[in-house]
Amino acid sequence: MTMPIYRAADLRRIEQAAGAVAPTLMERAGLAAAGFARGLIADGSKDVLVLAGPGNNGGDAYEAAVQLKEWFYRVCLVSPADPVKLPPDAQRAHAKWRNGGGEILAAIPAKVRWGLVIDGLFGVGLIRAVESEYA
């Protein structure tokens, strides 16, 4: 079975079209990620580390963190991002996390044995210098 390959611009068009439906694409992505995470770590007593970046991938991570917290997992969210500079959807996810009592740390706590780490730092918007070599 062949799988389609999408460029970043294609993904942005798909995301824009899908984002107009409720629940939002970001909420659906967060729920899917949280559900997958729950399947990986069935023991709710495990600590989950969520890393949220400065873009919409970070917003997906906030949504996953919200859901896991609602499912009674111990969630620690770390983000270096300035919430004011987040894209609008990610700002809403950030606010949802904060309004639900979620704390945002600037650094990963030491001496914690994480049951799972969710990486929401960067997504399709990340541009690397090395890409130009392969473009």
Side-chain angles (χ1 to χ4, degrees):
M1 178 166 130
T2 61
M3 299 296 289
I5 297 175
Y6 297 105
R7 295 189 173 277
D10 299 325
L11 289 172
R12 285 191 182 92
R13 277 195 303 281
I14 292 166
E15 288 173 350
Q16 185 175 11
V21 180
T24 67
L25 180 62
M26 189 168 288
E27 289 170 325
R28 287 180 280 163
L31 179 60
F36 187 75
R38 186 167 61 171
L40 291 174
I41 143 181
D43 182 357
S45 69
K46 301 284 185 181
D47 291 297
V48 178
L49 173 64
V50 177
L51 305 172
N56 284 327
N57 207 40
D60 296 342
Y62 278 110
E63 289 287 353
V66 166
Q67 191 62 55
L68 288 167
K69 188 173 186 299
E70 287 178 3
W71 291 336
F72 304 105
Y73 284 86
R74 290 191 316 251
V75 180
C76 177
L77 192 139
V78 175
S79 180
D82 179 352
V84 175
K85 294 181 181 178
L86 292 172
D89 286 348
Q91 283 184 358
R92 284 189 286 281
H94 171 271
K96 188 188 293 187
W97 171 252
R98 294 301 299 228
N99 293 338
E103 182 181 6
I104 300 169
L105 303 177
I108 298 171
K111 299 183 181 178
V112 177
R113 187 173 181 146
W114 304 106
L116 184 71
V117 176
I118 297 176
D119 177 2
L121 290 173
F122 300 106
V124 297
L126 179 63
I127 298 172
R128 299 177 192 209
V130 227
E131 284 183 333
S132 62
E133 292 180 38
Y134 302 103

